[in-house]
Amino acid sequence: MPSSAGPSIDTITEGGRVTQVGEGQEAEEIAPQVMTFGAPTAGEVLAERYELVEHINNDSAGRLVWRGVDVILRRPVAVVLRYPGGDSATEMLQGAVAASRVIHPNLVGVYDAIDEAERAYVVREWVDGQSLRELTANGPLDPARATTIGNAVASALAAVHATEMVHGNVHPGTVMISDDGRVVLADARTDGADSQQSDVRAIGGILYYALTGHWPHAEAPLRGATAGHGRAAIPDAVRDAGNALAAPRQIRAGVPAYLDDLTMDLLDAEIEPPSSDVLAAELARLDVPADEQFLDNGGPLRFTADTAEEPSPLAAAGGRKVAIGIAGLLVVALVGLLIGISTLGGDDSPQTNPVAAPSSNAPVDEATPAAVTAGPLKISAARIIDPQGDRTEVRDADKVFDGDEDKGWETQTYRGRANFGNLKQGMGVWVDLGGERTVKSVQVVLSARGASAQLYAGATDRPSSSSGDAQLFADYRKTAIGQPFEEHEGTKMTFNGFNADQKYRYLLFWITELPSNDGGYKLGVQEITVQGS
């Protein structure tokens, strides 16, 4: 199904076929298209690149939604067209351009935005999966999955808010779950009427909906939750005689008290919500396997800054409730720490240190072990990482460590710009050393001068799929090795910034700029060698 940061698009499945529906509405509520004269037909190629394959539907603003294919990169895309273009399409195009600048695994990708005067269109990522509204059609989600979805949405909003932007359209129709489990926030609509605070409050609505199957914003709707913006065909929340919103724990059993409290706090207009990054950190703390945390359904513990336990991220941000399960875990950890200190510090107990450390009290005549000489390390496997590609450039990864610099892996030729034609954030070569090793340096031999790249390290091995690649890159980029090479003039790059006290198994050579090649931009990675012990 298509998804984007342009007009809000949701999906429903009819007869095994994915059907696009505008902004979470049912199909019969869709407004007629703005203009039909000159409407495109299947097989037409826009901008000499995007072939239209199938008209999916019109969204609620009258824009045509098509499934298409990028004939250059051979990847599926969604194309949203508006008639006419020009001034009437300015907001749509500006929103798409702004959204394209934010790259995050939990945000859909926006690839292109074009105004041809008589029509304008946005080209974006095609996501196969379900919206949150579809996912709850057979009943509410378990607390663990609801927390995972809330965490992903909060993380996506944190990336948006870090650029001073606002999403403005968070509801069950714009939260999508791909077939391989990736949670994606789609269809940003920033028109000046929204705020980052309203985005964060909307996460409370997402949690409430996931936990109950009901939408809580009929009485005090958030932007993007009113009729025509995602609320249609979504059951209203349960309310008491005084029209007060019922808490998730009052609607169904098994909702942990702390998750219930957090959800209701976010929906409470009298409580100032935390920032999106603080909320993402809190939900990440709660996002653990059900058998480790969600079985504890005890009463809530209020947020306070003067509690004896380590406060949650929300405590520092002014929140007032925290999970008793979290507090219990912290108490256990504190007690364990005290016991460990007592045990290690006892006069009758041998003191051990699992990490070798230099001692200033060592006898001067004590022999110092000789340093282990670094040598070449064997690479056991390699894979091409292409989060925003169509998997056509992932072959020949084994040639980057075959010992032959005349053979290697190479990108295809990109046109227009050195940053992969402005089509993707980058590509990389992931290598596995077969086990944890002490790494001294990494040398990469390239096919040409002028490339820009960075080396990252990580601890996980993700599946070889586009969504797995996106998550791997997001995880790995937190650990950069040395300084990035910008417009490097040589054909060899050497990375030396490894921590001598740390062991590494997985490395990622990430390319951001390609050198010019026969009127385009292209690069080959001929050989990667790793020195260490």
Side-chain angles (χ1 to χ4, degrees):
M1 79 182 63
S3 56
S4 87
S8 179
I9 307 299
D10 187 20
T11 62
I12 57 175
T13 303
E14 296 177 345
R17 177 177 176 271
V18 176
T19 304
Q20 293 298 315
V21 178
E23 296 181 340
Q25 301 178 78
E26 296 293 353
E28 60 266 20
E29 296 180 275
I30 297 173
Q33 62 197 59
V34 176
M35 183 170 130
T36 59
F37 176 75
T41 58
E44 182 178 354
V45 179
L46 306 180
E48 300 182 349
R49 177 165 194 167
Y50 307 110
E51 180 181 355
L52 300 178
V53 176
E54 179 185 13
H55 177 215
I56 302 300
N57 71 280
N58 303 339
D59 74 9
S60 60
R63 290 164 287 220
L64 284 69
V65 182
W66 280 76
R67 176 172 63 86
V69 61
D70 183 334
V71 298
I72 295 179
L73 295 182
R74 305 306 303 172
R75 65 179 173 186
V77 295
V79 183
V80 180
L81 299 101
R82 178 183 176 87
Y83 290 85
D87 293 341
S88 65
T90 298
E91 182 182 333
M92 177 183 80
L93 296 173
Q94 287 180 343
V97 171
S100 69
R101 297 170 182 158
V102 185
I103 306 297
H104 191 274
N106 300 119
L107 288 170
V108 297
V110 178
Y111 303 143
D112 217 337
I114 298 173
D115 186 359
E116 296 180 346
E118 71 276 7
R119 64 186 177 187
Y121 45 92
V122 172
V123 182
R124 63 198 189 187
E125 180 182 2
W126 178 280
V127 179
D128 288 315
Q130 295 178 298
S131 69
L132 178 60
R133 190 183 71 182
E134 290 179 272
L135 196 62
T136 59
N138 295 324
L141 308 182
D142 64 82
R145 194 167 194 192
T147 303
T148 297
I149 291 173
N151 181 23
V153 174
S155 298
L157 288 177
V160 172
H161 294 172
T163 66
E164 305 300 325
M165 291 172 54
V166 176
H167 187 278
N169 196 26
V170 181
H171 60 76
T174 58
V175 176
M176 299 182 180
I177 298 86
S178 69
D179 291 340
D180 58 3
R182 175 187 174 206
V183 180
V184 181
L185 180 59
D187 305 338
R189 185 188 55 227
T190 55
D191 56 9
D194 305 292
S195 68
Q196 293 188 2
Q197 187 177 84
S198 65
D199 275 351
V200 175
R201 290 197 186 281
I203 299 174
I206 293 298
L207 289 171
Y208 190 97
Y209 183 81
L211 291 168
T212 67
H214 297 274
W215 188 237
H217 297 306
E219 296 301 311
L222 296 174
R223 182 67 171 165
T226 56
H229 288 157
R231 180 180 173 273
I234 299 178
D236 188 15
V238 177
R239 303 174 187 273
D240 61 19
N243 208 33
L245 187 67
R249 295 185 79 192
Q250 296 175 295
I251 299 174
R252 57 170 290 197
V255 178
Y258 51 82
L259 188 56
D260 185 274
D261 290 333
L262 176 59
T263 300
M264 296 304 290
D265 279 357
L266 291 171
L267 297 174
D268 191 338
E270 296 182 359
I271 300 176
E272 183 177 355
S275 63
S276 54
D277 57 342
V278 169
L279 180 58
E282 175 67 5
L283 288 168
R285 287 173 11 116
L286 302 180
D287 188 9
V288 298
D291 57 353
E292 293 183 19
Q293 185 165 330
F294 288 106
L295 294 180
D296 186 352
N297 204 20
L301 181 69
R302 302 287 184 182
F303 283 131
T304 56
D306 57 356
T307 178
E309 292 82 24
E310 176 187 343
S312 75
L314 291 178
R320 64 189 177 103
K321 299 174 184 176
V322 69
I324 191 171
I326 292 292
L329 291 175
L330 291 173
V331 170
V332 171
L334 180 60
V335 171
L337 178 61
L338 292 175
I339 292 174
I341 292 174
S342 175
T343 301
L344 292 175
D347 293 336
D348 298 329
S349 301
Q351 298 191 26
T352 60
N353 188 345
V355 180
S359 172
S360 60
N361 298 322
V364 294
D365 58 347
E366 182 175 330
T368 301
V372 178
T373 302
L377 297 178
K378 180 181 178 181
I379 296 176
S380 63
R383 187 169 74 236
I384 306 306
I385 304 300
D386 189 13
Q388 296 167 294
D390 60 357
R391 317 303 298 163
T392 61
E393 298 174 84
V394 300
R395 300 178 181 85
D396 299 327
D398 57 318
K399 294 182 180 179
V400 305
F401 63 99
D402 62 358
D404 186 353
E405 294 186 6
D406 294 330
K407 298 178 181 179
W409 165 80
E410 62 181 12
T411 70
Q412 65 182 20
T413 300
Y414 289 82
R415 305 294 179 183
R417 297 184 182 180
N419 61 341
F420 293 86
N422 203 29
L423 296 171
K424 58 180 70 174
Q425 190 175 8
M427 292 183 67
V429 182
W430 171 92
V431 299
D432 180 3
L433 300 179
E436 293 189 344
R437 302 286 187 268
T438 298
V439 179
K440 182 177 179 61
S441 67
V442 172
Q443 184 181 84
V444 183
V445 179
L446 305 175
S447 62
R449 301 171 180 267
S452 294
Q454 173 70 71
L455 188 71
Y456 298 106
T460 59
D461 176 17
R462 300 282 177 168
S464 182
S465 67
S466 57
S467 61
D469 286 358
Q471 186 60 55
L472 183 142
F473 177 60
D475 292 343
Y476 276 47
R477 68 184 306 178
K478 301 171 185 176
T479 307
I481 307 298
Q483 298 297 318
F485 282 86
E486 303 293 345
E487 299 180 359
H488 187 63
E489 291 301 325
T491 58
K492 291 184 179 180
M493 293 184 179
T494 303
F495 299 87
N496 296 305
F498 290 89
N499 185 342
D501 296 326
Q502 183 176 346
K503 291 184 180 295
Y504 303 83
R505 174 171 178 174
Y506 304 117
L507 302 171
L508 174 62
F509 176 68
W510 184 253
I511 307 163
T512 55
E513 299 281 343
L514 303 173
S516 60
N517 180 280
D518 294 332
Y521 298 91
K522 182 178 182 179
L523 179 67
V525 178
Q526 305 303 112
E527 195 72 17
I528 297 178
T529 55
V530 183
Q531 297 288 323
S533 58

